[in-house]
Amino acid sequence: MRLTSESNTSLIGRRRGSPRKQNMVLNQKSILVLAALCAAIFLMGLVLGTHIYGTPNSTATTNSNDGQSQHKNAESSPLAAATANKNLSENIQNLILESAKAELIEKQQHEQELEALKHGNVKEALHLRGMQAPGDVNYNPHHAVDDVGQLEAPFNEAVEVGEGDGAMYAGDIGDHVHHNEKEKEETKLELSEKEDMHNHFAEAVKNEAVVSEQKKSLREKFHDLKAEAAEVVKHGLRGAIGNIQNEVTDGKVDFIKGELSYYPYMTLPVSEDYDFTKYEPLGGGRFAEYKDGDSPYDITDKLKEQSDELARSRRVHVLNAMKHVWKNYKEKAFGSDELHPISGRVTQNWGGMGTTLVDALDTLWLMGLKDEFWEGRDWVRDKLSNTPPGDVSGFETTIRSLGGLLSAYDLSGDKAFLEKAEDLGKKLIKAYDTKSGLPHGSVNLQTGSSHNFGWFGNQFVLAEIGTQQIEYRYLSHATGNDEYAKKSDRVFDIIYEIMPEDGLLGEGLQENSSGGAFFSKDKVSFGAMGDSTYEYMIKLWIQSGRKEQRFRDMWDKSMNGVHNQLVQKSSPNGLTYLADRENGRLHHKMDHLACFMGGALAIGAYTDPMGLDSTRARRDLKTAKALTYTCYQMYARSATGISPEFVQFGGSNDFTIPSSAPFYILRPEVVEAFYYLSTLTGDPIYREWGWEVFQSLEKYCKTAYGYGSLKNVDNPSMPPEDRMESFFLAETMKYLYLLFDPDSEIDILNKHVFNTEAHPLKVFSDSS
């Protein structure tokens, strides 16, 4: 494989492929303030015996003790509804929601009233003020309105109540109500009855006026609370109170109640006929309460259940996306390395070893596409040849083909996959026949000859030599031939011996005369060229059943170096990112590839021998979350909602998309991090972000025969390119599906470990 130019080297490393509007959320302090105020409102409402936000026709008191009356009260009063058979946390949340709704309705009615008056429609204006007019079913001529001049008076304005029969007021709006002059001629008894009625009505008006003043005072306190909350969370956070009216109007809010939990992002399940063409990316800067790696919401069992229900409705669409690709691959390219998603052409750029088919086998299995899986098995058993002409990349062939075959065997138990895997492994392992034992980058599967790449000065690439051990150790475990494990483990023997004190490894190595090696390139990166060697440190420890402590020690040492030197904060919003380091200087860029660290740090924290509550584990998990938020912003801030190859930090808005890397080649690392954090923490936010990414893929990358890469993620009008890597099916589609699959057989905490191409393999145990 020939690689040239700097642009090509940026693609080398983990899963590199072939060469070439701002809202706010309340924090804990403001929620406590809100709870205290709402509790006070709740108690005041009980004393007053009325609701806080009512209609103009609401009476001041409600008197009922039976169940039927309580039900009617709940219908007419938001406070009654909030307090009927509900716990205190639900009362508070319902009260907030109802008050916001009432404010909206009141504002809309006032606007409609003014519009009616503008067009001379007095009767309609009266209706909007809660009055009756001639022609209404409940019209009472004794309460006829003869003065509409005050219809434009402000709502809830306190008024004086006139005494006697000559000045009555409807509600609290100050409209004069006069007795008909003819009534004075009625009998004394009738007059007495009417006086009693009028006096009763006047008393009600007085009470309503008092309540109106109380409502006005409470509204003022409510708005003061909004301002205080906004100050607490600052302009960068989503203010649940400040935005609740818009959310209610849009129908996008679902409150999760119980155990003082509030989660504002849950939505309804997605319909099967959802139209992705209408999706518009929502922009960056949102969900900023997650920016620093905090956990702003209580993750309750009820919240998880609702998230799972929503996820299942989204899972269907990811499955349909896979079906779309596989149908076309089967019809046009079955058994070929790659299908071109626009032209439908076929290429054999990985040696003609059915790379897309083999890479996608376990994805088919995990999605329940068993017929397609067994068709793939038949092709592997009957037609797969592991002796292509020419050289192949030892790294890519190991993680894609060997990993794919081993995972298919691990999931299905079918020996045809293991036989082909062993045949391939015997040929690939010859790349390790070097003076040091480090594997060459290129190997000929027919002759066994191997060499390094000239474009890298014939040096060993860190990310390639340290990202093959999971596959070879599993092959030894499955076949009983320990040669594969011993040869591949030699790499970490060498790295362990020459590892710097800060745990940060140079991206290139050379052999020395004594059969060892040394770091020949100073650059440290968790993107291309270095990334997945760190990933395999923690995963090899997990694969061993958490017994081979050397791998865990190397991981923890490297993570200390990461936090001491590479973890940085952007300006002005303080996004967390991992800088590169070269010659002692930091380069403030971060590759899409580096986003795998969100998942790696998270699994490292959850398996920390010192416990998840240890200082180290808490540090690593917090960084994992903060870093993943930044990676999400790399997607959300682009015009298509899709991330570029890397971003450059600096400037006036945290980072920019450089002109040298605006492209996207269907990479998986960000949705991989979403999957790990969603699975481990249970926080539904990672599914929300993943759903945004998937919608953008559907809208901007989907083609007639598959999904194409993007040349410029900031140009929504630019069509996708005619290129679809096999890792799109092996990784991107798999992680998206698993993100929305709460019923998966995969257990990353106890039973499985993924290789760097997202092929799951069972961890070793004493009984296995």
Side-chain angles (χ1 to χ4, degrees):
M1 181 171 60
R2 182 179 179 185
L3 303 177
T4 58
S5 82
E6 183 177 350
S7 62
N8 284 336
T9 64
S10 69
L11 298 177
I12 300 304
R14 184 172 181 272
R15 292 182 288 277
R16 68 182 184 272
S18 56
R20 11 198 207 190
K21 299 160 187 166
Q22 209 166 44
N23 292 326
M24 297 183 290
V25 173
L26 292 175
N27 61 16
Q28 185 175 10
K29 175 181 176 182
S30 53
I31 289 176
L32 292 174
V33 174
L34 175 60
L37 177 59
C38 290
I41 295 172
F42 172 71
L43 294 174
M44 184 178 294
L46 292 178
V47 174
L48 294 174
T50 185
H51 55 73
I52 301 304
Y53 289 95
T55 64
N57 292 331
S58 300
T59 60
T61 60
T62 303
N63 186 16
S64 176
N65 292 323
D66 61 13
Q68 182 178 2
S69 297
Q70 289 178 0
H71 176 70
K72 291 180 179 179
N73 291 344
E75 290 181 345
S76 62
S77 167
L79 182 57
T83 57
N85 300 320
K86 297 179 183 293
N87 61 38
L88 182 58
S89 64
E90 290 177 316
N91 300 341
I92 294 171
Q93 294 173 11
N94 278 344
L95 189 59
I96 299 170
L97 184 60
E98 292 296 337
S99 66
K101 288 181 179 177
E103 285 185 310
L104 276 180
I105 293 170
E106 195 171 56
K107 180 180 178 181
Q108 292 168 355
Q109 287 179 339
H110 183 55
E111 292 174 351
Q112 292 169 0
E113 173 197 322
L114 295 178
E115 186 66 19
L117 285 175
K118 180 180 178 181
H119 293 85
N121 193 342
V122 176
K123 181 178 178 180
E124 176 65 19
L126 295 177
H127 278 297
L128 293 167
R129 297 303 291 266
M131 303 176 189
Q132 303 293 330
D136 291 329
V137 175
N138 298 318
Y139 172 64
N140 188 336
H142 299 293
H143 298 162
V145 178
D146 63 2
D147 183 1
V148 298
Q150 296 190 36
L151 276 173
E152 296 181 7
F155 278 82
N156 301 314
E157 182 177 324
V159 297
E160 293 184 17
V161 181
E163 297 180 356
D165 296 340
M168 290 296 177
Y169 294 83
D172 60 355
I173 57 176
D175 293 315
H176 296 282
V177 181
H178 299 279
H179 288 294
N180 193 301
E181 291 297 330
K182 293 181 181 181
E183 291 179 357
K184 296 180 180 180
E185 300 175 1
E186 294 180 354
T187 65
K188 184 177 181 179
L189 178 62
E190 291 174 337
L191 287 172
S192 176
E193 291 176 348
K194 294 183 185 301
E195 287 177 1
D196 290 342
M197 177 182 68
H198 294 158
N199 289 337
H200 177 75
F201 184 74
E203 184 66 24
V205 171
K206 290 179 180 179
N207 290 337
E208 187 71 17
V210 173
V211 172
S212 176
E213 281 296 324
Q214 293 169 341
K215 290 192 289 184
K216 181 178 180 181
S217 176
L218 289 174
R219 281 197 181 93
E220 290 175 353
K221 292 180 179 179
F222 188 74
H223 290 299
D224 290 343
L225 179 63
K226 290 182 182 180
E228 181 180 349
E231 179 64 23
V232 171
V233 298
K234 298 183 179 180
H235 68 280
L237 301 181
R238 179 192 177 98
I241 294 180
N243 294 320
I244 192 170
Q245 294 177 341
N246 292 333
E247 293 170 336
V248 170
T249 303
D250 295 339
K252 295 180 180 179
V253 169
D254 184 14
F255 287 89
I256 309 302
K257 310 175 186 71
E259 301 178 34
L260 297 178
S261 174
Y262 165 78
Y263 185 80
Y265 303 121
M266 192 64 64
T267 61
L268 296 175
V270 181
S271 64
E272 292 188 3
D273 60 351
Y274 180 78
D275 186 358
F276 290 95
T277 64
K278 295 181 179 179
Y279 174 72
E280 294 295 334
L282 302 176
R286 295 168 295 120
F287 309 102
E289 69 272 33
Y290 286 92
K291 171 178 65 68
D292 295 320
D294 297 321
S295 299
Y297 307 107
D298 292 333
I299 309 302
T300 64
D301 290 340
K302 183 176 181 181
L303 177 59
K304 291 180 181 179
E305 290 173 3
Q306 294 195 356
S307 177
D308 287 348
E309 179 184 2
L310 175 59
R312 291 184 182 98
S313 73
R314 293 169 170 174
R315 179 180 64 187
V316 172
H317 294 283
V318 182
L319 176 62
N320 290 338
M322 183 67 179
K323 288 179 177 178
H324 167 66
V325 177
W326 200 255
K327 173 181 177 294
N328 291 299
Y329 177 77
K330 180 179 177 181
E331 292 177 356
K332 294 181 173 295
F334 198 71
S336 298
D337 284 346
E338 285 185 0
L339 167 69
H340 289 260
I342 296 176
S343 64
R345 292 188 301 109
V346 170
T347 54
Q348 306 288 9
N349 55 325
W350 296 105
M353 299 169 61
T355 302
T356 289
L357 186 151
V358 173
D359 222 2
L361 283 168
D362 52 9
T363 303
L364 295 171
W365 178 276
L366 294 173
M367 289 186 178
L369 299 175
K370 299 300 173 59
D371 289 343
E372 291 82 351
F373 176 85
W374 294 119
E375 288 175 353
R377 185 278 313 272
D378 292 345
W379 184 90
V380 168
R381 181 192 61 204
D382 301 334
K383 297 183 178 180
L384 175 59
S385 171
N386 290 322
T387 55
D391 297 344
V392 299
S393 165
F395 164 72
E396 294 287 0
T397 306
T398 298
I399 66 171
R400 300 192 194 208
S401 297
L402 183 59
L405 291 169
L406 292 173
S407 182
Y409 165 70
D410 188 78
L411 291 168
S412 70
D414 193 294
K415 291 293 183 66
F417 296 119
L418 182 58
E419 291 171 1
K420 290 293 185 178
E422 186 172 19
D423 176 64
L424 178 59
K426 289 178 180 178
K427 298 169 181 177
L428 284 170
I429 201 69
K430 293 180 180 180
Y432 285 79
D433 294 336
T434 63
K435 181 171 59 176
S436 64
L438 298 179
H440 282 143
S442 180
V443 59
N444 188 300
L445 299 182
Q446 290 185 355
T447 66
S449 62
S450 63
H451 60 87
N452 280 331
F453 301 115
W455 59 264
F456 200 59
N458 294 314
Q459 300 174 67
F460 296 92
V461 180
L462 175 66
E464 296 198 355
I465 63 173
T467 315
Q468 303 178 37
Q469 289 69 27
I470 287 176
E471 295 83 350
Y472 284 120
R473 287 160 67 91
Y474 185 92
L475 184 59
S476 286
H477 184 78
T479 63
N481 183 351
D482 63 0
E483 177 190 10
Y484 308 111
K486 286 182 177 180
K487 284 193 170 183
S488 64
D489 280 354
R490 172 61 179 158
V491 174
F492 277 91
D493 292 340
I494 292 175
I495 293 176
Y496 184 76
E497 292 172 0
I498 64 175
M499 193 173 196
E501 285 301 314
D502 60 12
L504 302 178
L505 312 178
E507 65 181 19
L509 295 89
Q510 285 185 336
E511 295 175 319
N512 59 31
S513 58
S514 60
F518 61 95
F519 290 108
S520 54
K521 285 188 176 292
D522 175 76
K523 183 178 179 181
V524 172
S525 176
F526 279 76
M529 311 292 285
D531 49 7
S532 46
T533 291
Y534 300 98
E535 175 191 3
Y536 269 35
M537 291 177 186
I538 185 64
K539 289 185 173 181
L540 286 168
W541 179 70
I542 293 172
Q543 185 188 41
S544 74
R546 309 182 191 181
K547 295 177 180 178
E548 297 185 50
Q549 189 62 32
R550 179 180 68 168
F551 296 119
R552 178 79 211 196
D553 292 343
M554 294 175 72
W555 165 259
D556 289 328
K557 186 175 184 179
S558 293
M559 293 310 100
N560 287 337
V562 166
H563 284 92
N564 291 336
Q565 298 189 44
L566 303 186
V567 172
Q568 302 291 310
K569 294 286 187 178
S570 70
S571 177
N573 292 308
L575 301 182
T576 300
Y577 65 97
L578 300 183
D580 291 347
R581 190 192 71 187
E582 187 170 15
N583 297 324
R585 298 182 60 184
L586 295 182
H587 297 276
H588 297 275
K589 62 178 282 288
M590 187 167 75
D591 292 3
H592 189 291
L593 288 162
C595 291
F596 85 94
M597 280 289 286
L601 281 164
I603 195 66
Y606 272 82
T607 60
D608 195 314
M610 299 173 65
L612 184 58
D613 291 331
S614 66
T615 300
R616 183 175 67 189
R618 291 199 307 268
R619 176 202 67 181
D620 289 355
L621 183 57
K622 186 178 181 69
T623 301
K625 294 177 179 179
L627 184 65
T628 299
Y629 176 80
T630 302
C631 292
Y632 162 67
Q633 289 299 313
M634 289 166 62
Y635 276 77
R637 292 192 184 188
S638 79
T640 60
I642 293 176
S643 172
E645 181 70 2
F646 67 84
V647 295
Q648 189 75 44
F649 286 88
S652 61
N653 193 27
D654 301 303
F655 63 76
T656 59
I657 299 175
S659 59
S660 60
F663 56 89
Y664 172 71
I665 60 171
L666 307 175
R667 288 201 184 277
E669 290 78 24
V670 175
V671 293
E672 173 187 357
F674 293 166
Y675 165 68
Y676 272 89
L677 282 165
S678 174
T679 301
L680 295 171
T681 69
D683 194 329
I685 198 64
Y686 302 106
R687 285 173 169 168
E688 295 307 307
W689 298 348
W691 182 240
E692 288 185 20
V693 171
F694 180 71
Q695 290 178 95
S696 286
L697 289 172
E698 285 289 297
K699 178 163 185 176
Y700 297 108
C701 297
K702 190 172 184 179
T703 66
Y705 303 120
Y707 292 78
S709 303
L710 296 182
K711 189 174 183 179
N712 188 341
V713 298
D714 245 358
N715 187 347
S717 63
M718 185 175 291
E721 295 184 294
D722 194 20
R723 183 187 180 199
M724 181 175 66
E725 290 275 3
S726 70
F727 60 63
F728 177 68
L729 304 185
E731 302 186 72
T732 309
M733 294 294 282
K734 183 186 286 122
Y735 281 130
L736 281 168
Y737 184 84
L738 292 175
L739 178 64
F740 302 124
D741 183 18
D743 311 306
S744 176
E745 64 188 273
I746 300 301
D747 181 354
I748 57 173
L749 196 55
N750 301 295
K751 296 180 180 179
H752 295 92
V753 62
F754 284 97
N755 86 332
T756 198
E757 189 79 3
H759 295 308
L761 298 167
K762 291 185 181 69
V763 301
F764 304 149
S765 63
D766 293 336
S767 59
S768 62

